[in-house]
Amino acid sequence: MGRKLAECLSGRGVIFLRGPLGAGKTTLVRGLLNACGHVGSTKSPTYTIVEPYQVESRKFYHFDLYRIADPEELEYMGFRDYLDEEALCLIEWPEKGADFLPGADLEITLAYEDGARRISFEFENLAWKDKFCQLVGSKLEQVD
Ligand SMILES: Nc1ncnc2c1ncn2[C@@H]1O[C@H](COP(=O)(O)OP(=O)(O)OP(=O)(O)O)[C@@H](O)[C@H]1O
Ligand SMILES: [Mg+2]
C-alpha cells in the first residue's frame, strides 16, 4: 500500500495517520519512503518527534506526535516551518496536535480487525484521490 500511495501523492501536502499503538502507521510510511527511492532505515520518530528525509529533490517529514503533552510544544519546535516547506508531511498521532495542525490532504486510518488490518482513506486533495482511485479503485469499498 505504501508503494501505491507513493505513486499518487505528488508534490507537497499533509497526511494524517490515525490508528492505535502498533496499528502499522510507521510501517506504512516506511513502505512509502522506500517506494520513493529512500535507501536505509526509517526510524520511528517517537522520541525525536520528527525525522526528515530527502530523496533526490523530494523532501519528506515524518512526525510522531504521541509524546506531545501540549500542542504548544509544536510552536517551540518550529512546526509551522516544516509545513511551509515544499514537502510531504506524514503525521502519526495528529490528535495530539489538536488545533495547531492544518487540515490534512489525506487522512489514513489503520485498524486491527479479526487478526487482519483494515485501512481507510479520506481524501481532501482531489488530484491525489483521482490518481489513487485509478490505481486501486476497483479494490476499494466506497463508504460515501
Ligand atoms: N501490514 C502489516 N503486516 C504485518 N505486520 C505489520 C504490518 N504493519 C505493521 N506491522 C508490524 O506491527 C508492528 C507495529 O507497527 P508500527 O510500528 O508500524 O505501528 P505504529 O502504528 O507506527 O505504532 P505507534 O503508534 O506505536 O507508532 C511492527 O512490528 C510491524 O512490523
Ligand atoms: Mg509509529
Side-chain angles (χ1 to χ4, degrees):
M1 186 51 77
R3 192 176 316 120
K4 300 279 185 212
L5 285 169
E7 286 182 49
C8 309
L9 312 186
S10 52
R12 62 183 294 170
V14 174
I15 299 157
F16 289 173
L17 293 146
R18 298 188 187 277
L21 284 169
K25 303 177 290 296
T26 298
T27 303
L28 181 62
V29 171
R30 186 173 293 131
L32 187 154
L33 287 170
N34 289 348
C36 287
H38 168 64
V39 180
S41 64
T42 307
K43 287 184 287 177
S44 175
T46 309
Y47 294 96
T48 52
I49 310 293
V50 58
E51 289 286 341
Y53 297 90
Q54 177 129 19
V55 185
E56 292 167 9
S57 59
R58 285 195 83 184
K59 277 191 194 169
F60 303 85
Y61 291 110
H62 179 200
F63 296 88
D64 184 340
L65 306 186
Y66 187 72
R67 293 171 63 86
I68 297 282
D70 183 330
E72 263 202 16
E73 289 175 37
L74 295 174
E75 187 95 70
Y76 306 137
M77 65 175 275
F79 188 77
R80 284 184 218 277
D81 296 341
Y82 291 104
L83 299 178
D84 286 343
E85 282 197 46
E86 195 62 33
L88 208 57
C89 290
L90 300 136
I91 308 178
E92 295 184 40
W93 294 100
E95 50 273 54
K96 300 276 184 171
D99 295 343
F100 206 89
L101 299 193
D105 294 283
L106 166 61
E107 294 204 30
I108 300 176
T109 305
L110 287 156
Y112 282 122
E113 258 169 50
D114 303 326
R117 285 176 164 82
R118 174 181 286 267
I119 188 164
S120 26
F121 304 90
E122 214 173 305
F123 284 92
E124 283 297 326
N125 183 322
L126 297 183
W128 286 2
K129 182 179 181 180
D130 283 350
K131 275 196 219 162
F132 188 72
C133 288
Q134 279 170 24
L135 211 58
V136 294
S138 62
K139 298 186 180 128
L140 295 174
E141 179 194 343
Q142 188 112 2
V143 288
D144 60 12

